[in-house]
Amino acid sequence: MFAFKRFFCCLLLLLGWAAGAYAQSQPPVIGYHVKTETWSDPLEALGTLNADESVTLSATVTDTIAEINFDDGEQVERGRLLIRLEDSEEQALLRAAQAITDERRNASGRASQLQQRNLAARADVEDTQSQLRQAQADAQALEARLENYRIHAPFSGRVGFRNVSVGALVTPGMALVTLDKLDVMKLDFSVPEVFLDRLSAGLSLSATTAAYPDEVFRGEISSIGTRIDPVSRSVNVRAELANPDLKLRPGMLMEVIVQQRVRDALVLPEAALQPSGNRHFVMVIQQQEAPRLERREVAIGERRSGEVEVLEGIREGDLVVIHGLQLAREGQEVRILGIADDTTDIRSLLEADR
């Protein structure tokens, strides 16, 4: 009986050792399916924001302010009366001109009636008509002068601070208020001329600013400068960014990343690469009777944060190892812990295997 127990214990130890050896011969790995993604080469630059439309409103005549119809920072519509200057004298002159116009219109009408009855000369009719046109022109000129006393918003936008008050005397060219159209912003930046052949209108870009570090603003290039700066050897580029929440302001400094040479490419996590000198390899999991590894050399292209573009060596849909490469060897059978994707990361797969 004692010999039998001893034999049984040895058998259990042998089976445990064999199971452990077999487990060691199948190292755990996490796979990743190669897929095609939109890829671009990032071009970084610093840019300055400008309003889509911007103007500093001023007067063209000298007079005092009679009325102000806006508050600091208010959103105003196109055509809204913002400031009215004192125009009582011009209004009186206009009424006088309109009265003269009415008088000459009546005189012209009477002369026409008399001429129809052959009681007035044709020349008298023409003189009264000429005088009527002159009076109408004088009235129109006064109406145009009156418009100089009213400052309207030339476009919809947001006004700045009000630095004048009712009763203040203004002179031609004196800045009264700023108006900016902020729903779309212009982003101006420059890039070295060597990248000129990669730039074109319509290229998408992303921009960030220190004022909103957690937000990314997206837009596209609208135009490219026609000249190269002979000193810096750079070309000016202008992009447009949507600003529906009006968070962006003119003068802001932004970090710009232009997505140039947009293309479809095979993309892998950098963790899948095994560098060897100037060469790069990946472990492909062959799904046959048992998962087995095949070492392949790949040609890589550009890199971006945590990812690499693969030019050749693998195909879309191949299953490659992205975790467990330290113990993985070519031709070895492996135990697949799971497949990492956009919804499942390596950490969650490792925690699930504990």
Side-chain angles (χ1 to χ4, degrees):
M1 179 63 70
F2 176 77
F4 175 75
K5 289 183 178 180
R6 184 176 181 181
F7 171 77
F8 183 72
C9 291
C10 292
L11 180 61
L12 289 178
L13 291 174
L14 182 61
L15 291 175
W17 176 83
Y22 181 74
Q24 291 179 357
S25 66
Q26 287 186 313
V29 297
I30 294 176
Y32 178 86
H33 282 294
V34 180
K35 57 184 178 181
T36 300
E37 296 182 4
T38 301
W39 188 275
S40 61
D41 300 334
L43 175 60
E44 298 181 359
L46 291 177
T48 302
L49 278 177
N50 295 293
D52 185 35
E53 301 287 349
S54 181
V55 66
T56 299
L57 299 176
S58 61
T60 58
V61 296
T62 299
D63 220 310
T64 58
I65 296 177
E67 185 180 347
I68 297 177
N69 296 316
F70 67 89
D71 295 322
D72 292 347
E74 183 180 357
Q75 182 73 23
V76 299
E77 299 299 321
R78 177 183 179 182
R80 174 171 165 178
L81 177 63
L82 301 179
I83 296 176
R84 182 178 67 84
L85 302 182
E86 182 57 51
D87 58 356
S88 56
E89 181 179 354
E90 284 69 24
Q91 291 281 8
L93 292 175
L94 177 61
R95 289 193 296 271
Q98 290 172 340
I100 295 174
T101 300
D102 292 339
E103 177 186 353
R104 293 184 178 179
R105 183 179 294 108
N106 294 333
S108 177
R110 289 192 300 269
S112 297
Q113 292 177 358
L114 291 175
Q115 198 272 335
Q116 290 175 0
R117 299 175 185 176
N118 294 322
L119 297 178
R122 179 67 180 174
D124 294 338
V125 175
E126 292 177 351
D127 288 344
T128 56
Q129 290 177 346
S130 176
Q131 293 172 359
L132 173 61
R133 290 193 295 270
Q134 181 180 356
Q136 290 174 334
D138 292 341
Q140 291 173 355
L142 287 170
E143 290 176 351
R145 284 177 55 188
L146 273 174
E147 286 301 314
N148 295 331
Y149 290 78
R150 296 176 174 85
I151 300 175
H152 298 84
F155 49 82
S156 298
R158 188 177 294 275
V159 295
F161 292 135
R162 178 168 66 90
N163 296 320
V164 292
S165 301
V166 173
L169 179 67
V170 300
T171 56
M174 178 179 175
L176 301 180
V177 64
T178 60
L179 178 64
D180 296 303
K181 185 175 180 290
L182 302 176
D183 56 340
V184 175
M185 302 295 292
K186 295 176 181 177
L187 178 60
D188 294 335
F189 57 96
S190 60
V191 298
E193 63 175 319
V194 294
F195 298 108
L196 184 60
D197 63 331
R198 303 184 184 181
L199 299 175
S200 62
L203 277 183
S204 60
L205 57 83
S206 59
T208 56
T209 176
Y212 306 103
D214 298 328
E215 293 193 48
V216 178
F217 300 89
R218 303 192 181 278
E220 61 180 31
I221 293 177
S222 59
S223 59
I224 301 172
T226 57
R227 298 182 179 181
I228 304 295
D229 189 319
V231 177
S232 62
R233 299 301 177 186
S234 60
V235 60
N236 292 326
V237 181
R238 170 165 290 177
E240 291 185 354
L241 302 179
N243 188 30
D245 298 329
L246 305 184
K247 292 182 177 180
L248 301 177
R249 293 289 189 273
M252 273 186 171
L253 178 68
M254 302 201 78
E255 297 181 9
V256 187
I257 299 179
V258 180
Q259 307 299 332
Q260 57 173 338
R261 295 175 57 192
V262 180
R263 59 195 182 276
D264 292 332
L266 296 177
V267 179
L268 274 180
E270 285 185 314
L273 292 180
Q274 288 183 312
S276 178
N278 295 328
R279 305 165 68 187
H280 296 85
F281 298 87
V282 297
M283 285 293 187
V284 180
I285 303 174
Q286 297 292 348
Q287 299 275 17
Q288 299 173 350
E289 296 180 359
R292 192 175 296 273
L293 297 180
E294 177 189 353
R295 190 168 187 250
R296 291 188 194 172
E297 183 176 359
V298 294
I300 64 172
E302 301 293 332
R303 295 175 184 256
R304 63 189 183 194
S305 179
E307 294 180 322
V308 62
E309 176 189 18
V310 180
L311 303 178
E312 58 183 33
I314 54 176
R315 298 184 300 272
E316 183 177 8
D318 284 348
L319 184 61
V320 301
V321 176
I322 63 170
H323 181 78
L325 288 172
Q326 295 85 352
L327 301 177
R329 299 293 182 268
E330 184 174 12
Q332 192 176 28
E333 292 185 10
V334 293
R335 180 168 61 93
I336 302 177
L337 298 182
I339 307 298
D341 53 28
D342 295 334
T343 59
T344 306
D345 58 12
I346 295 176
R347 175 177 294 181
S348 60
L349 293 172
L350 292 175
E351 292 177 350
D353 187 58
R354 290 178 181 175

